[in-house]
Every structure is written in C-alpha cells, then in structure tokens.
C-alpha cells in the first residue's frame, strides 16, 4: 500500500497570507491529483500532475510535482476565505489511487 | 462533462434496517466506480472498487456482506448498507472513472450522509 503523508494537517491563516501544503511519499506515482473538499460535499478535482518536475498554475494556486514523482506541493498566494476547505492529494499507480490524510485550511477574513 | 450524482444526499434510518445509496455518472460511461467512507474531519477511506458487470473488490477490513455493492450498468452503482448500526453513520462518497478518460481521473459525487439512530 502506497502511503501519502500530507503536512500540515491543520492550517489557520489570515486573509492575504501565503501558504504551502506538502504531500510526500516513498512510492513513485504515475500521476498525482489535488482535490479540495468543502463540508458536506464531495471532493472537487483541482489539478492532475503527471510529469516529474511539472508545475501547474491555477489562478493563485501553484502545484508542483517532484522530479522523482514521489512528492508534490500546493502553494496558495494571497489566500482568501473562499479557499477554506480540506485539501487532499491522491497518488495514482497501476489504476490504484490512494489519498493523503488531508490538510484542513481555514482562512480568516 | 464528468458529472457524478448520488441519491439520497442524506438519509436517517433506524438500527437494523437497510439503506441503499445510488451513484450515477450522468454524462459519461463509468467502467469503474469507487465507494469511500469519510468520518468527520478525516480523509477518504476507500471501501471497495466495482467494475461494471463483475463483483466488487473490497478493501481489507470492509465487510462485503454488510456493504453490498452492485454495478449493474455503466452509469449506475449502488451501495446497500445492510442491518445498519449507529457506528455505520458516516459520509459515503462515490467516484467514477470514465471509459475514455485517463485512468487516473476520478470524479466524485456530492456524498450521502447516513445517520443510523
């Protein structure tokens, strides 16, 4: 079983601050996804990274896949209250997908 | 595209009864569907993987006789919680993988909150 470790587990910041969430594993993944989940709803796919070293930007969110495809990071610039939610990374290998424990982000106005 | 629905969105049932949850892919054919369980403030826990027309594969520790999964068509999978008990109360989420999409793309339903009294 591939294990994904996310850090930090909880993060509470003020509006306008920057933050980075990490997703690490000892396993190599063919792809890695980041999801955001709001209370009482299903996870929503934010991005998929496939190539080692790949960087993708989605407005104020920057996603990076490690060169060895074992880790990833999500950086949010100038966080807003609307960014509040549970951020989940998920690694895929051989049609098997595993989720990290999640980072619960709270952005205070 | 890639919309997945679940029904019901929430359900309350009495201990000992059975509850069926439906997961539908609305605009694509889902060759594989996944069922997850999520406790408050925790991550998703994969319960089982189902492929259309075949038996579901359950994760270790998940009772197949208690959580019956049927994937009878390319757009519908059902999860039946049999003889429900209060400890089965949880948020159940399904996801689907499309026939003509990359294998790593999963699309999630909105979830079903089950409360067993």
């Amino acid at each position: 079983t591939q294990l994904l470790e996310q850090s930090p587990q909880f993060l509470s910041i003020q509006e306008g601050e920057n933050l980075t969430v990490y997703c690490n594993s000892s396993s190599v993944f063919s792809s890695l996804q980041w999801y955001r989940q709001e209370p009482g709803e299903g996870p929503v796919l934010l991005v998929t990274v496939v190539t080692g070293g790949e960087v993708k930007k989605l407005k104020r969110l920057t996603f990076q896949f490690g060169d060895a495809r074992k880790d990833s990071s999500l950086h949010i610039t100038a966080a807003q209250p609307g960014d509040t939610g549970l951020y989940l990374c998920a690694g895929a290998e051989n049609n098997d997908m595993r989720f990290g424990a999640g980072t619960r982000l709270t952005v205070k106005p | 595209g890639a919309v997945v629905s679940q029904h019901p969105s929430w359900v309350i049932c009495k201990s000992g009864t059975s509850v069926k949850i439906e997961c539908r892919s609305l605009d694509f054919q889902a060759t594989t569907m996944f069922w997850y369980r999520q406790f408050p403030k925790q991550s998703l826990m994969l319960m089982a993987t189902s492929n259309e027309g075949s038996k579901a594969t359950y994760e270790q520790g998940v009772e197949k006789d208690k959580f019956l999964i049927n994937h009878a068509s390319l757009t519908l999978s059902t999860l039946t919680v049999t003889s429900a008990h209060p400890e089965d109360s949880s948020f159940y989420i399904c996801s689907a993988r499309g026939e003509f999409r990359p294998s790593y793309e999963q699309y999630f339903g909105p979830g079903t909150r089950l409360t067993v009294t």
Side-chain angles (χ1 to χ4, degrees), chain A residues 36-39 80-87 105-108:
Chain A
R36 183 173 71 207
Q37 184 183 22
E38 299 191 22
Q80 299 177 0
D83 296 327
T84 294
L86 177 67
Y87 288 80
L105 171 66
T106 302
V107 182
K108 301 175 185 176

Side-chain angles (χ1 to χ4, degrees), chain B:
Chain B
V3 179
V4 177
S5 70
Q6 278 185 244
H7 178 81
S9 56
W10 59 271
V11 57
I12 301 173
C13 71
K14 292 186 177 181
S15 187
T17 62
S18 295
V19 175
K20 180 184 284 188
I21 302 171
E22 293 185 350
C23 177
R24 295 182 183 271
S25 57
L26 298 185
D27 54 0
F28 67 101
Q29 293 184 323
T31 51
T32 305
M33 286 186 169
F34 305 85
W35 286 96
Y36 295 84
R37 185 174 181 176
Q38 186 177 35
F39 291 105
K41 299 185 178 181
Q42 294 188 22
S43 187
L44 303 174
M45 183 188 77
L46 180 64
M47 299 175 65
T49 301
S50 73
N51 293 295
E52 185 265 337
S54 61
K55 290 184 178 180
T57 301
Y58 290 81
E59 295 296 301
Q60 190 172 10
V62 178
E63 299 176 59
K64 61 180 66 177
D65 294 331
K66 180 168 185 62
F67 299 99
L68 301 178
I69 292 173
N70 184 279
H71 192 165
S73 76
L74 284 172
T75 59
L76 173 65
S77 176
T78 60
L79 166 67
T80 301
V81 183
T82 63
S83 187
H85 289 100
E87 55 266 32
D88 298 324
S89 298
S90 189
F91 193 50
Y92 292 87
I93 307 174
C94 72
S95 70
R97 179 186 291 159
E99 183 176 15
F100 301 110
R101 298 175 184 267
S103 61
Y104 50 71
E105 286 189 3
Q106 285 189 32
Y107 297 91
F108 286 85
T112 296
R113 182 159 303 284
L114 169 63
T115 301
V116 184
T117 60

